[in-house]
Amino acid sequence: MRVPLSWLREYVDLPAGETGRDVAAKLVDAGLEVETVEQLGGGLKGPLVVGQVLTIEELEGFRKPIRFCTVDVGQANGTGEPQEIVCGARNFAVGDKVVVVLPGAVLPGDFAIASRKTYGRTSHGMICSGDELGMGDDGTHGIIVLPPEHEVGTDAIELLQLVDEVLDIDITPDRGYCMSMRGVAREAATAYGLPLRDPALLYVPAPNSYGYPVKVDDPAGCDRFTARTVTGLDPDARSPIWLTRRLQKAGMRPISLAVDITNYVMLELGQPLHAYDRSSVEGTIGVRRAEQGEKFTTLDGVKRTLDAEDLVITDNSGPIGLAGVMGGANTEIADSVTDAETGQVTGTTDVVIEAAHFDSVSISRTARRLKLSSEASKRFERGVDPQAAAAAAQRTVDLLVLLAGGTAEAGVTEVLAPGAPRTIAMPADHPDRVAGMEYGRETVVRRLQEIGCDVYGQDELVVTVPSWRPDLAAPNDLAEEVIRLEGYGNLPSTLPQVPSGRGLTARQQLHRRVGRALAGSGYVEALSYPFIGEGVFDQLQLPAHDVARQVVKLVNPISDEEPALRTTLLPGLLGALRRNDSRGSHDLALFETGSVFRAAAQPGVAVRLPVDRRPTDEEIATLNAALPAQPRYAAVVLAGAREQAGWWGKGRPADWADAVQAARALAVEAGTELVVRQGQYGPWHPGRCAELVVTLGGVEQVIGHAGELHPRVVKAMGLPARTSAMEIDLDRLAAAGGEALQAPRISSFPVATQDVALIVDASVPASSVEAALRKGAGELLESLRLFDVFTGEQVGEGKKSLAYALRFRAADRTLTAEESTAARDAAVALAGERTGAVLRGA
């Protein structure tokens, strides 16, 4: 909401010396989010005056039309002689009043004006457009043509209100009443302790039986509908400068007088309005739900298909408006048209004014489904004061009579659904308990009365909520109002007391160790948003029945393209890798640890927790039961060079083995042993995918995968060639380890190393051979490492040679050669028995 300070001062007598920044600071203290304070006309310096075009000479021989004009600027140029100006615009004629900037002036952007020779003539100044003066779009993109009543030589800076300050306020959903000058003025008046001149306090004639006929078939969707009629409008009447300038400062484009007036009143009072061309409305105006599949063309010329939930305004011919969102093209106010022969001006002369109150949920759903957000829908979604409808209609009628020469018909239509003011019962000390400080009953009552509430009672208050505050629904809402008006900065600041002897939990310690281990291995942490679109599962080639496709969807997602919570960390990490690669960083190793979200078979319903006391264990348990499972995962992605080339060597590219090694590093931090064996899953290359296995409760469980991504996944996601990745369930990895990480025991006795090369079938996984060697070697084996894999004619077709380095050590003695050899032979024997391995060269 853009709030011109000059307009705000009409409703609140702000101190004369208060700047826009001063007012912004006060509003921020009151809880509004003022994003910027724009200085209009900053650096602007005159002379800038009203001029009248005397002559126009068309200059020939140039690529674009150029005109040499003489303009009467009165005594503003010091001589009274016509000012000679070269101009390329063509939307003005001889006799028109225009805005002229003379030599010596400075326009916004530090643009100094001087006499200069151009197109073979000397131009002494400029004839100005709205853009050149920083006024904003007026719809013409041409020279400003002023109404004829303005005197030549008048100061245009003051006439056009070019110097002002505009507060740009980000209105949160619970502050819908501040999407109007009336609402912001109310907050400013409260912040300064000044009276408010409420623009809605107008004389409104009582409803009668001879107003325009209206029938509301859905009172739940429309609980108030006011209709007024104005006839005899001058179709040639233009919006006055003060009106267009206020619209422009508020960020709206002037269109025509009738439309400008409805927009102006909406900005002033917060009540959206619509004006129908009475000659196009056939019979009674109605309000009903649309028929499923019903067609309707809105003001923007788009033919839309309606849903049965949509609320529409109708006449005897069908829909004429999409309630609370946008009017229809069939009853649009007609632009004025001048007959070239007779000079007669035709256009809309009679209008029907609609000021209604619609259900916020219905309007929000319609606007979102049709992707048709309008100024009206933004206000109805956040809540509009239903009591303001009659005043807004009256204000519109008054302005049409004043500015367009119309006549207000005596008929007043007002259709109301039964209703009563909302009341909230609240203990007088409730704000004290919420804030943790004592305000006292008098302060609570005074602050609630300042926002428009009626308050009765002593220890137990009965608060009647004002009609413009639909967000006040519970005692905590009232407490928030008292606290914000008393000042958030006055709340006591108390640091939480941490019980002694408690530190990080074992789970938190593991997460920190995992992060440090991966960072120490050369990975860079990347944090991504936990939202995904379901189309990413197709890119990852996950099967249709995969559990990862069972997502938790958000009711109100930030982006319609990513409406679900992630079930895997890979989309976010791979997106970060793709972005960095596209920006020239090709050697990448990224990691992330974070929660993924698993949908429950039966979604739970969360309870609303209290804020004035600690929730009970049962309430917390109920809330936790309604949440989806959120296991902690870790993932890495790699592309490009893993080791850089230099004087020390050639370097090497990242590959699947690096992804596997990252998983092994995490298993070490968790204090468990990770079994790595060949697997096949989703996005990984079927021949270069390892499944990561741990033993839980005596049963082997696959807790992750690592390896090189499938070429089709790489292509679908726009990734670098040979991208590798690993993802693992940290919670199950931790469960497989011990509660406390055991430090290794260092033996003072020497190690005995034995190397073996075993020939096995090419289909036998190295992990199976390794497991057999570990089992057969017994307790003397300290470590085992695969250091060579060889295939070729020497080992036979369909065979491979696996070379292992076995390290043996005893804790209490130096091993003899016979002991280490016996352990090696036992390991080889068991490997031969389990996998068919044969000692190479035997």
Side-chain angles (χ1 to χ4, degrees):
M1 176 71 187
R2 289 173 56 85
V3 179
L5 191 59
S6 60
W7 194 356
L8 184 64
R9 289 183 183 274
E10 284 199 2
Y11 313 119
V12 184
D13 289 326
L14 299 173
E18 289 292 275
T19 66
R21 295 191 180 278
D22 296 331
V23 176
K26 285 283 191 180
L27 294 178
V28 168
D29 288 342
L32 294 183
E33 298 180 10
V34 181
E35 293 191 334
T36 60
V37 178
E38 184 179 350
Q39 303 288 332
L40 298 184
L44 179 63
K45 176 184 175 184
L48 186 73
V49 299
V50 175
Q52 184 171 23
V53 180
L54 301 177
T55 64
I56 297 177
E57 178 187 351
E58 300 289 346
L59 302 183
E60 305 292 341
F62 299 102
R63 293 183 179 179
K64 60 180 182 179
I66 298 297
R67 311 168 97 186
F68 181 69
C69 311
T70 59
V71 185
D72 180 11
V73 295
Q75 297 300 317
N77 58 5
T79 65
E81 295 296 324
Q83 200 78 1
E84 296 180 341
I85 298 175
V86 175
C87 183
R90 309 192 65 78
N91 68 312
F92 63 95
V94 171
D96 283 345
K97 298 287 182 68
V98 293
V99 178
V100 179
V101 57
L102 301 177
V106 179
L107 295 184
D110 198 25
F111 180 34
I113 302 300
S115 298
R116 65 190 184 98
K117 190 170 184 179
T118 179
Y119 297 102
R121 301 294 178 95
T122 299
S123 182
H124 301 280
M126 286 174 52
I127 301 176
C128 297
S129 68
D131 290 336
E132 290 165 340
L133 297 179
M135 294 173 56
D137 182 18
D138 63 357
T140 65
H141 298 289
I143 293 302
I144 302 170
V145 179
L146 299 171
E149 63 267 19
H150 297 291
E151 293 292 332
V152 168
T154 302
D155 182 7
I157 295 179
E158 182 178 351
L159 175 67
L160 299 178
Q161 304 171 23
L162 297 178
V163 179
D164 203 350
E165 294 181 276
V166 178
L167 283 63
D168 194 347
I169 305 176
D170 184 14
I171 306 299
T172 53
D174 61 333
R175 293 276 189 263
Y177 66 97
C178 284
M179 294 193 75
S180 67
M181 295 300 303
R182 180 194 186 202
V184 176
R186 188 182 302 279
E187 290 296 316
T190 303
Y192 279 94
L194 297 171
L196 169 72
R197 287 189 290 274
D198 190 346
L201 296 181
L202 302 172
Y203 167 73
V204 179
N208 49 55
S209 59
Y210 42 93
Y212 199 94
V214 173
K215 180 182 179 183
V216 177
D217 293 329
D218 191 338
C222 175
D223 58 6
R224 183 181 294 262
F225 195 107
T226 300
R228 300 290 298 275
T229 304
V230 181
T231 60
L233 302 179
D234 179 4
D236 197 32
R238 296 173 56 186
S239 299
I241 291 175
W242 65 265
L243 177 58
T244 60
R245 288 299 293 134
R246 286 189 171 179
L247 291 177
Q248 288 173 327
K249 291 177 185 179
M252 302 189 75
R253 181 172 63 88
I255 298 173
S256 64
L257 179 57
V259 176
D260 291 348
I261 288 174
T262 58
N263 285 337
Y264 176 83
V265 175
M266 177 185 68
L267 291 172
E268 184 179 51
L269 301 181
Q271 168 68 52
L273 302 109
H274 190 71
Y276 300 95
D277 187 331
R278 184 177 181 178
S279 64
S280 302
V281 180
E282 300 179 12
T284 301
I285 292 177
V287 183
R288 62 168 173 82
R289 297 289 173 176
E291 298 174 4
Q292 187 66 38
E294 193 170 13
K295 305 291 184 181
F296 173 62
T297 302
T298 47
L299 278 173
D300 55 3
V302 178
K303 190 171 186 178
R304 305 182 186 276
T305 302
L306 304 182
D307 187 83
E309 285 192 351
D310 297 334
L311 201 63
V312 293
I313 312 298
T314 65
D315 65 1
N316 292 345
S317 64
I320 60 173
L322 199 54
V325 181
M326 187 174 286
N330 51 348
T331 56
E332 181 180 8
I333 300 294
D335 293 333
S336 60
V337 178
T338 303
D339 188 290
E341 295 182 359
T342 64
Q344 183 178 359
V345 179
T346 59
T348 298
T349 57
D350 301 338
V351 296
V352 178
I353 309 298
E354 166 208 309
H357 185 260
F358 301 111
D359 175 56
S360 59
V361 175
S362 175
I363 302 306
S364 178
R365 286 176 176 171
T366 297
R368 179 178 289 270
R369 185 182 61 80
L370 295 176
K371 295 182 174 58
L372 187 62
S373 179
S374 64
E375 292 293 333
S377 69
K378 290 176 186 177
R379 286 165 172 79
F380 279 120
E381 288 170 4
R382 290 163 173 79
V384 169
D385 181 6
Q387 301 291 339
Q394 182 63 46
R395 178 73 164 137
T396 304
V397 169
D398 291 344
L399 288 174
L400 285 171
V401 171
L402 175 66
L403 302 177
T407 301
E409 289 195 350
V412 178
T413 302
E414 193 165 39
V415 179
L416 299 176
R422 290 176 296 114
T423 60
I424 302 173
M426 179 186 73
D429 64 346
H430 182 70
D432 300 5
R433 290 186 285 120
V434 172
M437 64 181 296
E438 185 174 349
Y439 292 120
R441 179 188 177 279
E442 289 186 3
T443 299
V444 170
V445 171
R446 175 172 57 84
R447 289 302 191 183
L448 292 178
Q449 288 175 339
E450 284 178 356
I451 65 172
C453 296
D454 291 329
V455 186
Y456 303 95
Q458 293 298 319
D459 295 337
E460 187 75 17
L461 302 180
V462 177
V463 182
T464 302
V465 177
S467 59
W468 59 83
R469 293 301 301 272
D471 58 301
L472 301 182
N476 290 328
D477 299 327
L478 300 178
E480 180 186 0
E481 293 299 300
V482 175
I483 294 169
R484 78 176 179 89
L485 293 178
E486 283 295 303
Y488 290 121
N490 296 325
L491 292 176
S493 178
T494 305
L495 292 175
Q497 298 295 320
V498 180
S500 61
R502 295 185 184 181
L504 298 177
T505 65
R507 187 170 187 256
Q508 291 170 330
Q509 290 175 349
L510 173 62
H511 296 162
R512 289 198 175 185
R513 292 200 306 272
V514 163
R516 285 195 294 264
L518 291 174
S521 299
Y523 291 87
V524 176
E525 186 171 16
L527 301 178
S528 56
Y529 288 112
F531 312 117
I532 58 173
E534 294 182 80
V536 76
F537 299 131
D538 295 329
Q539 293 179 323
L540 294 176
Q541 298 194 52
L542 297 184
H545 60 277
D546 196 285
V547 67
R549 287 183 177 268
Q550 299 173 14
V551 297
V552 177
K553 291 189 176 181
L554 301 174
V555 175
N556 187 24
I558 294 177
S559 169
D560 291 337
E561 296 179 357
E562 295 181 331
L565 292 173
R566 67 187 177 192
T567 55
T568 168
L569 300 180
L570 289 182
L573 265 183
L574 292 173
L577 184 141
R578 179 179 62 248
R579 285 191 297 274
N580 281 276
D581 179 73
S582 67
R583 294 169 183 171
S585 298
H586 304 302
D587 303 325
L588 297 162
L590 308 178
F591 84 92
E592 181 175 10
T593 62
S595 298
V596 298
F597 304 85
R598 302 294 189 189
Q602 295 293 331
V605 178
V607 297
R608 187 172 185 179
L609 298 181
V611 297
D612 58 342
R613 61 173 174 81
R614 185 188 185 280
T616 64
D617 293 340
E618 291 76 13
E619 289 171 332
I620 295 175
T622 303
L623 178 64
N624 289 335
L627 299 176
Q630 301 175 45
R632 188 87 172 185
Y633 273 41
V636 304
V637 293
L638 306 99
R642 185 65 175 137
E643 296 177 3
Q644 296 291 335
W647 58 265
W648 52 84
K650 295 182 179 180
R652 69 174 183 85
D655 61 14
W656 61 269
D658 295 300
V660 173
Q661 183 57 35
R664 286 197 171 104
L666 301 192
V668 170
E669 297 300 328
T672 187
E673 189 172 328
L674 191 67
V675 177
V676 180
R677 63 192 183 200
Q678 186 175 6
Q680 183 173 346
Y681 177 69
W684 282 277
H685 192 297
R688 298 167 188 163
C689 174
E691 61 182 19
L692 312 174
V693 181
V694 295
T695 301
L696 282 170
V699 179
E700 286 190 345
Q701 293 187 21
V702 178
I703 63 169
H705 293 84
E708 184 181 314
L709 296 182
H710 198 290
R712 284 200 289 267
V713 174
V714 169
K715 182 178 179 181
M717 303 191 75
L719 303 172
R722 309 300 289 269
T723 297
S724 298
M726 180 277 294
E727 185 172 38
I728 194 168
D729 187 333
L730 273 185
D731 288 345
R732 286 198 286 170
L733 182 66
E739 291 188 3
L741 188 62
Q742 299 295 321
R745 185 173 60 181
I746 306 299
S747 174
S748 60
F749 295 96
V751 67
T753 302
Q754 295 273 0
D755 293 345
V756 294
L758 302 177
I759 298 176
V760 297
D761 290 338
S763 61
V764 175
S767 59
S768 299
V769 178
E770 181 177 330
L773 290 174
R774 288 184 182 277
K775 182 70 174 177
E779 296 182 354
L780 294 178
L781 181 67
E782 182 180 80
S783 66
L784 182 150
R785 180 174 62 89
L786 175 66
F787 65 86
D788 184 60
V789 179
F790 176 76
T791 58
E793 296 180 0
Q794 294 90 331
V795 297
E797 186 177 354
K799 301 288 185 178
K800 63 182 176 182
S801 172
L802 304 176
Y804 291 90
L806 292 77
R807 291 167 57 93
F808 299 97
R809 195 194 310 257
D812 56 350
R813 67 188 188 283
T814 299
L815 293 177
T816 64
E818 290 77 11
E819 286 178 310
S820 62
T821 301
R824 181 203 65 184
D825 293 343
V828 172
L830 187 59
E833 178 182 335
R834 289 187 174 182
T835 66
V838 177
L839 195 63
R840 185 174 176 182

